[in-house]
Amino acid sequence: MSPPRILLCGDVLGRLNQLYKRVVSVNKSAGPFDALLCVGQFFPDSTEQLDEFMDYVEGRSVIPLSTYFIGDYGVGAAKVLLASSRDSGNQGFKMDGLKICANLHWLKGSGKFTLQGLSLAYLSGRRSSDGLQFGTYTQDDVDVLRAIAEEPGVIDLFLTNEWPTGVTNRAATLDIPPGVSDPFGSDSTVSELVVEIKPRYHIAGTKGVFYAREPYSNVDAVHVTRFLGLGSVGNKEKQKFIHAISPIPSSTMSAAEISMKPPNTTLSPYTLTERKAEASDSAKRSSNSVSESQYWRYDVSQKRQKYGTADGNKLCFKFTSSGSCPRGEKCNFHHDMDAREQSQRGVCFDFLNKGKCERGPDCSFKHSLQNEVDSQSGKRRSGNAGTNRSKECWFCLSSPNIESHLIVSVGESFYCALAKGHLVPDHILIVPVEHFPNTLSLGPEFETEINRLQNCLRKYFKSQGKEVVFFEWVSKRSTHANLQAVPIPTSRAHVVQNIFDMAAEKLGFKFVASKSDAPGEGRKSLRTHFDSNRSFFYAELPECVTLSHVIEETEIFPAQFGREVLAGLLNMADKADWRNCTHSKEEETKMAEEFKIRFENFDPNK
């Protein structure tokens, strides 16, 4: 399959006739192209172009190629964008573009989405303290991108309106036309984001010149970044305003391909800026140890961060979505652990932040707070359980939302299922049939069945030449328990405890470790000391070693901690988030059937 073909454009300034005339010509001679991405001011800079611009918006002129823009300022911007924002199809929390008209999409605020297989991130608007409704970005928008930077995977394209400070090679000769503003960067915030995001391509406008910088290497990343600055449409200085690229999506590239460096690769222009930022902000990620970074992607040097000072009741998107915020106590928005827990249970961020979501029933997230669960009975304390709980829960065996094609074994009180977005092919979940929040607070009869399942899985993995790690993250606000089983190569079993300990140290705590004489004894000890009013994480390792940690109320603890540690152990950092590892239903069904055949002789429920 050939890589996508993308056209890039600088400031359009409302000159859509000239832009699309050029697009049609290029598409005919060198196309076909898949999309057009516009940076810099998209709307007219005077009323003279407004009629021409509105011809396209109102459908009298045709837009020939799917177009995405971030320059949401200029004459007519407020009217057009306000009308678009009120459209029912554009309401709610969206990152993949708000539709203005056929083939024209506004990338609002900041975000990340996939376009033609490419991972695309963007920051719309310009830096400003005026608080305008359109045309400027906010600290929330910046925090969204910082959360995205923490996610596994590589960003292929990063779009900004303004150039970052320090991107140019000052030794290079640039043909800067008279009257054109100094192109040597303008926005330090963009520079900071580029350092964190590390995109393969960074595209910007607003400076009126075309500039293709030599590729530069990134700190703590194997791939290079290419910066492209683009001129404005119809500029008198004949600066190039449209440019074509055809990058292979990073998600399909091998490690060797993505780490390939061209002969003209330079050092990062932001190295000095990054070092200065690291010295002044202890929450920045560390690059002191390459060997450690391959195992653990968190480096919270502030140990256990406290809540930041709130800007009214506005929530920090980064903290709510990822559980950490590099700004720490300096963040202007609220670090609310309850909101974080609600977000993990599928509650809409707009609902949590504003009390409502304009998208209404079209939103795929929940618009009500998910109540706590009684750890002993499995019933909601509000008394609102019953049918609604089973319908909403992904894991209840009676739920219409359960993905039953992943189930590989069903017992009296527990069933086993392939993990959705599994870390490795035989990644298994042990799940209670009924709606229980954890496996440690259940009665002895439940524990007997769990021990039998675990022992059968150990024997199965042993036959495959592997050991197995079991882990469970127990939040006091958990809804439905799942005990995860991840096989690891026998050759890595001797280092797994060290890797867990190193990850704990990065987050500022130490595991309580114990070694028992037989499998199952570790769980028995945990059950004796378990407090259902506290959040808790534990892992059962090979050689009957158990690690446990009681999570403090104000402690930031990643929900996918166990998976991320094992992803590092297996050198699969890109699979730390299950959402990056999803398969089609047909593929999942096939994998489940193949596992059942391999597991048949070990399955205690046969």
Side-chain angles (χ1 to χ4, degrees):
M1 191 174 186
S2 59
R5 311 192 71 192
I6 306 295
L7 287 177
L8 308 172
C9 181
D11 302 66
V12 176
L13 301 174
R15 299 165 184 161
L16 295 184
N17 284 343
Q18 193 168 354
L19 169 64
Y20 288 123
K21 181 179 179 180
R22 177 67 175 150
V23 166
V24 169
S25 175
V26 171
N27 207 36
K28 184 177 180 180
S29 61
F33 288 91
D34 298 298
L36 169 66
L37 307 177
C38 298
V39 294
Q41 183 175 334
F42 189 75
F43 287 81
D45 57 359
S46 71
T47 56
E48 295 177 3
Q49 268 86 36
L50 190 56
D51 288 343
E52 173 187 322
F53 185 89
M54 293 306 295
D55 281 345
Y56 287 88
V57 171
E58 294 173 355
R60 291 183 292 274
S61 297
V62 177
I63 297 176
L65 182 63
S66 184
T67 303
Y68 296 80
F69 71 90
I70 60 172
D72 49 351
Y73 52 93
V75 175
K79 179 180 178 181
V80 171
L81 299 180
L82 187 60
S84 174
S85 299
R86 290 172 175 170
D87 187 280
S88 59
N90 286 334
Q91 292 179 352
F93 190 69
K94 298 185 66 178
M95 286 189 177
D96 57 350
L98 275 64
K99 184 177 179 180
I100 302 296
C101 60
N103 267 352
L104 183 61
H105 307 274
W106 167 36
L107 300 178
K108 179 184 180 182
S110 66
K112 168 191 169 185
F113 68 104
T114 301
L115 178 66
Q116 300 292 327
L118 297 168
S119 176
L120 189 152
Y122 59 88
L123 178 65
S124 193
R126 301 164 295 179
R127 183 177 188 175
S128 174
S129 59
D130 296 338
L132 300 175
Q133 184 176 8
F134 303 112
T136 62
Y137 63 78
T138 67
Q139 186 61 49
D140 270 347
D141 297 325
V142 174
D143 284 345
V144 167
L145 290 174
R146 286 188 165 134
I148 287 170
E150 290 291 331
E151 296 176 356
V154 178
I155 298 295
D156 292 307
L157 307 177
F158 181 39
L159 309 182
T160 65
N161 291 307
E162 295 176 309
W163 286 35
T165 300
V167 69
T168 54
N169 179 354
R170 290 177 182 269
T173 57
L174 287 177
D175 182 16
I176 304 172
V180 173
S181 58
D182 175 19
F184 294 114
S186 64
D187 193 339
S188 59
T189 300
V190 172
S191 302
E192 294 169 6
L193 288 173
V194 172
V195 168
E196 294 188 48
I197 294 171
K198 300 176 176 62
R200 292 171 62 209
Y201 287 84
H202 177 199
I203 302 99
T206 71
K207 290 299 175 183
V209 293
F210 174 76
Y211 177 54
R213 192 197 189 281
E214 304 97 325
Y216 62 82
S217 58
N218 287 287
V219 177
D220 289 340
V222 297
H223 63 276
V224 299
T225 295
R226 292 171 169 83
F227 174 80
L228 287 167
L230 294 160
S232 58
V233 174
N235 68 86
K236 296 178 181 179
E237 294 77 21
K238 304 299 182 183
Q239 291 287 314
K240 185 176 182 181
F241 66 82
I242 200 162
H243 184 77
I245 59 173
S246 184
I248 300 172
S250 57
S251 59
T252 67
M253 298 173 71
S254 67
E257 289 173 327
I258 204 165
S259 62
M260 191 175 297
K261 291 181 171 59
N264 62 335
T265 300
T266 71
L267 294 175
S268 169
Y270 310 112
T271 302
L272 294 177
T273 303
E274 183 177 21
R275 288 175 181 170
K276 182 178 178 181
E278 286 177 349
S280 62
D281 187 352
S282 60
K284 291 287 185 182
R285 65 182 70 169
S286 171
S287 59
N288 291 335
S289 172
V290 175
S291 61
E292 290 187 5
S293 66
Q294 67 176 317
Y295 293 123
W296 187 242
R297 69 186 183 93
Y298 287 96
D299 188 1
V300 186
S301 303
Q302 288 183 324
K303 306 298 182 184
R304 297 168 190 171
Q305 298 176 11
K306 298 178 181 179
Y307 289 177
T309 55
D311 179 7
N313 292 319
K314 295 183 70 176
L315 298 171
C316 171
F317 179 87
K318 181 171 179 58
F319 180 86
T320 305
S321 61
S322 69
S324 65
C325 171
R327 295 174 66 85
E329 295 181 356
K330 298 178 181 178
C331 183
N332 295 320
F333 301 93
H334 195 42
H335 292 182
D336 191 304
M337 184 61 76
D338 288 335
R340 164 73 178 147
E341 295 284 354
Q342 291 289 337
S343 177
Q344 287 181 292
R345 299 208 289 271
V347 179
C348 170
F349 179 76
D350 275 357
F351 176 81
L352 292 172
N353 197 35
K354 303 174 183 177
K356 63 178 181 179
C357 172
E358 295 174 348
R359 192 165 175 79
D362 293 330
C363 180
S364 58
F365 297 94
K366 299 173 183 176
H367 294 156
S368 63
L369 297 180
Q370 304 301 293
N371 296 321
E372 294 183 17
V373 177
D374 187 296
S375 61
Q376 299 301 321
S377 67
K379 297 179 181 179
R380 291 188 187 276
R381 292 174 181 168
S382 64
N384 238 351
T387 307
N388 288 337
R389 181 192 65 205
S390 295
K391 286 182 177 179
E392 291 179 355
C393 182
W394 288 4
F395 294 114
C396 279
L397 202 57
S398 60
S399 169
N401 294 326
I402 191 172
E403 302 203 45
S404 57
H405 64 285
L406 292 171
I407 297 175
V408 294
S409 178
V410 180
E412 183 177 347
S413 302
F414 295 89
Y415 67 88
C416 293
L418 283 186
K420 190 171 184 66
H422 55 252
L423 180 60
V424 291
D426 284 357
H427 182 174
I428 295 294
L429 304 183
I430 300 175
V431 187
V433 170
E434 297 184 42
H435 197 80
F436 294 121
N438 62 75
T439 66
L440 292 178
S441 61
L442 303 178
E445 68 279 10
F446 293 94
E447 191 64 21
T448 300
E449 186 173 345
I450 285 182
N451 287 336
R452 185 167 65 250
L453 281 171
Q454 287 184 298
N455 287 331
C456 290
L457 285 169
R458 287 187 182 100
K459 291 177 183 177
Y460 165 72
F461 290 126
K462 204 78 171 178
S463 73
Q464 303 284 319
K466 298 175 183 178
E467 298 289 343
V468 59
V469 174
F470 297 96
F471 65 88
E472 183 177 7
W473 184 76
V474 181
S475 167
K476 68 177 185 177
R477 300 177 180 86
S478 294
T479 53
H480 200 128
N482 60 90
L483 175 62
Q484 303 199 37
V486 179
I488 62 172
T490 302
S491 61
R492 304 298 291 159
H494 70 288
V495 298
V496 65
Q497 183 176 351
N498 291 337
I499 302 307
F500 267 98
D501 286 338
M502 185 168 63
E505 183 180 354
K506 290 288 186 183
L507 285 178
F509 71 88
K510 288 187 178 180
F511 276 114
V512 175
S514 63
K515 184 172 173 56
S516 54
D517 296 329
E521 292 298 316
R523 281 185 58 86
K524 184 177 180 180
S525 176
L526 291 176
R527 282 163 48 80
T528 302
H529 301 96
F530 176 65
D531 181 356
S532 60
N533 293 317
R534 306 285 296 275
S535 295
F536 192 69
F537 176 88
Y538 69 93
E540 298 175 78
L541 311 183
E543 305 297 331
C544 298
V545 173
T546 302
L547 304 178
S548 61
H549 173 58
V550 176
I551 302 166
E552 296 177 6
E553 184 67 30
T554 58
E555 182 179 349
I556 297 171
F557 191 85
Q560 298 195 59
F561 178 85
R563 179 183 176 119
E564 294 191 20
V565 173
L566 294 179
L569 173 76
L570 300 172
N571 292 321
M572 297 176 175
D574 58 324
K575 293 186 176 183
D577 191 327
W578 70 271
R579 290 166 294 190
N580 294 334
C581 310
T582 55
H583 300 271
S584 68
K585 185 174 181 178
E586 291 74 19
E587 292 171 322
E588 291 174 336
T589 301
K590 181 181 179 182
M591 288 185 285
E593 292 301 321
E594 291 172 348
F595 177 85
K596 283 191 278 190
I597 293 172
R598 295 193 301 271
F599 188 58
E600 185 174 12
N601 293 333
F602 302 88
D603 190 350
N605 298 313
K606 286 292 185 181

